[in-house]
C-alpha cells in the first residue's frame, strides 16, 4: 500500500498524492492492530476522506490560514464526537491541505481511494478477530474541549513564531488520543518520545542521503521506523506518518524537524500526563468523599 502511494505520486507527477498518515494507518491495521480503529472499519475510510475534502474546501475561504485551520479543526473534532469516531488520523487528513497549500482535490480523492483499501483490510482483520478487544467508552466531552484548545494554541504558537517544524499533524493525532486515555503516567512518555524523535532524525538523514528518490526515501524510512518500533517494543503507527513527512514539505526536510518533533511530542505528552494525573486525583478524592 505504501509503495503504491509512492509510485503513484512519481508516475502521475502529483506530490499531493503523498499522505504520510497512510503509512501509519496501514501499520495500525495490519502490523500493529489498533482495537478502536478496526472496531468500525468504515470510519477508516469515511472519516479521513471527508476531512480531506473539508480541509481542501475550507482552504478557499478568504480569511487567514490560521483561522481556516482552527475552523477546520473545530468542525472535525465536533463531527468526530457526534459520530463517535475513534480514528485519530482523521485530524491530520483535514489539516494537511492548509499546511501544504492544497487547493485542488487530488489529495482528497487519493486519500479516499487509499483509505478505502485500508478499510477493506480492516474488515478482513475484524472478520478474522485478530484485533484486541476495544474499550466500550467514548471520549469525555470536557477532555475533548481542553485538548482541542491546547492543540489550537500550539498551532497558533507555530504560526505566530513562524516555527513550522512544530506543526506535526501525526503527533497531533497521537496526543488527541493519549489525552483521553484513562491512565497515562509520566513513565509512558520516554519510549514514544524516543521512537518519534529517532524516526524524525533518521527520516531527515535518509531524505538527504537519497535526495531525489521519493520511492527509495519512503521505503527505507518506513523500514527503519518498523525496526525502531520493534527495537523499543513500541507499536506506534504515528511514527510511520512522521517518517514520510520530509517528502512533502520543505521545513520538514531540514535538521530542525527532529527538534520540532521532540519539542511537540515532549511538551504535549507532558501536558497530557499532568492533566491525566490531576483527573485521577480528583476522581480519588471524589470516591473518598
Amino acid at each position: 500500500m505504501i509503495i503504491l502511494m509512492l509510485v503513484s505520486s512519481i508516475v502521475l507527477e502529483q506530490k499531493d498524492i503523498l499522505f504520510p498518515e497512510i503509512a501509519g494507518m496501514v501499520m495500525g491495521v495490519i502490523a500493529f492492530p489498533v482495537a478502536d480503529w478496526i472496531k468500525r472499519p468504515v470510519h477508516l475510510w469515511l472519516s479521513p476522506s471527508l476531512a480531506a475534502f473539508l480541509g481542501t474546501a475550507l482552504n478557499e475561504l478568504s480569511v487567514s490560514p490560521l483561522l481556516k485551520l482552527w475552523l477546520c479543526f473545530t468542525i472535525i473534532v465536533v463531527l468526530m464526537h457526534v459520530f463517535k469516531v475513534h480514528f485519530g488520523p482523521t485530524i491530520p487528513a483535514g489539516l494537511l491541505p492548509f499546511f501544504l497549500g492544497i487547493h485542488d482535490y487530488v489529495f482528497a480523492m487519493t486519500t479516499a481511494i487509499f483509505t478505502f483499501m485500508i478499510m477493506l483490510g480492516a474488515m478482513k482483520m475484524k472478520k478474522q478477530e485478530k484485533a484486541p478487544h476495544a474499550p466500550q467508552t467514548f471520549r469525555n466531552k470536557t477532555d475533548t474541549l481542553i485538548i482541542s484548545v491546547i492543540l489550537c494554541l500550539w498551532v497558533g504558537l507555530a504560526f505566530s513564531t513562524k516555527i513550522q517544524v512544530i506543526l506535526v499533524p501525526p503527533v497531533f493525532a497521537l496526543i488527541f488520543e493519549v489525552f483521553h486515555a484513562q491512565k497515562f503516567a509520566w513513565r509512558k512518555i520516554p519510549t514514544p518520545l524516543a521512537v518519534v524523535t529517532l524516526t524524525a532524525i533518521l527520516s531527515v538523514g535518509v531524505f538527504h542521503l537519497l535526495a531525489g528518490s521519493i520511492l527509495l526515501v519512503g521505503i527505507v524510512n518506513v523500514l527503519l521506523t518498523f525496526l525502531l518500533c520493534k527495537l523499543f517494543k513500541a507499536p506506534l503507527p504515528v511514527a510511520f506518518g512522521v517518517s514520510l513527512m520530509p517528502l512533502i514539505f520543505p521545513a520538514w526536510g531540514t535538521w530542525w524537524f527532529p527538534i520540532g518533533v521532540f519539542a511537540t511530542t515532549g511538551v504535549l505528552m507532558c501536558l497530557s500526563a499532568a492533566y491525566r494525573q490531576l483527573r485521577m486525583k480528583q476522581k480519588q478524592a471524589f470516591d473518598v468523599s
Side-chain angles (χ1 to χ4, degrees):
M1 180 78 70
I2 298 168
I3 291 175
L4 178 61
M5 178 180 68
L6 296 169
V7 171
S8 298
S9 70
I10 296 171
V11 173
L12 299 177
E13 297 182 349
Q14 282 282 358
K15 205 170 182 180
D16 290 349
I17 291 176
L18 296 175
F19 179 25
E21 274 297 279
I22 291 295
M25 294 178 197
V26 172
M27 292 297 175
V29 169
I30 305 299
F32 312 116
V34 178
D36 288 334
W37 293 9
I38 298 174
K39 186 179 179 182
R40 295 180 177 178
V42 71
H43 285 180
L44 276 65
W45 172 44
L46 289 179
S47 300
S49 299
L50 293 176
F53 277 101
L54 175 65
T56 305
L58 290 179
N59 213 14
E60 298 300 323
L61 293 177
S62 300
V63 294
S64 71
L66 180 58
L67 287 178
K68 288 189 286 188
L69 200 153
W70 279 346
L71 177 61
C72 183
F73 179 83
T74 301
I75 294 174
I76 289 173
V77 170
V78 169
L79 291 177
M80 287 177 68
H81 208 90
V82 170
F83 293 101
K84 298 188 181 302
V85 175
H86 281 280
F87 198 43
T90 299
I91 295 173
L95 301 188
L96 271 180
F98 301 101
F99 298 149
L100 305 180
I102 295 173
H103 293 278
D104 58 41
Y105 287 88
V106 173
F107 170 74
M109 289 187 291
T110 53
T111 294
I113 293 171
F114 287 121
T115 53
F116 181 81
M117 297 168 69
I118 292 171
M119 178 192 71
L120 296 180
M123 286 180 172
K124 184 176 180 181
M125 292 290 289
K126 183 179 181 181
K127 187 177 181 180
Q128 295 174 346
E129 297 183 348
K130 289 186 177 181
H133 293 293
Q136 299 301 311
T137 58
F138 192 62
R139 302 184 185 101
N140 179 278
K141 291 181 180 179
T142 302
D143 293 350
T144 298
L145 176 61
I146 293 174
I147 188 56
S148 296
V149 171
I150 290 174
L151 290 177
C152 283
L153 290 175
W154 189 263
V155 172
L157 173 65
F159 271 79
S160 62
T161 59
K162 297 183 179 179
I163 304 177
Q164 297 171 319
V165 291
I166 64 172
L167 293 171
V168 192
V171 171
F172 293 166
L174 172 65
I175 298 302
F176 194 80
E177 297 306 322
V178 164
F179 199 84
H180 290 88
Q182 291 299 313
K183 295 181 180 179
F184 185 68
W186 296 98
R187 58 183 175 79
K188 292 186 177 182
I189 296 177
T191 299
L193 179 59
V195 171
V196 294
T197 302
L198 288 173
T199 294
I201 293 172
L202 292 173
S203 65
V204 172
V206 172
F207 176 71
H208 289 286
L209 185 64
L210 302 175
S213 178
I214 291 177
L215 183 60
L216 281 178
V217 170
I219 292 174
V220 172
N221 279 346
V222 167
L223 289 176
L224 289 175
T225 305
F226 183 79
L227 292 175
L228 280 175
C229 289
K230 287 293 186 180
L231 178 64
F232 283 86
K233 296 180 181 179
L236 202 64
V238 65
F240 293 89
V242 172
S243 74
L244 297 185
M245 288 180 66
L247 288 172
I248 65 173
F249 193 59
W252 296 334
T254 68
W255 287 110
W256 288 103
F257 178 58
I259 298 175
V261 170
F262 177 80
T264 301
T265 309
V267 171
L268 295 179
M269 273 198 164
C270 285
L271 288 174
S272 300
Y275 177 75
R276 190 47 53 193
Q277 297 303 307
L278 177 63
R279 286 296 295 255
M280 289 180 67
K281 288 181 180 179
Q282 291 176 338
K283 185 177 183 302
Q284 290 172 356
F286 178 79
D287 293 338
V288 171
S289 62

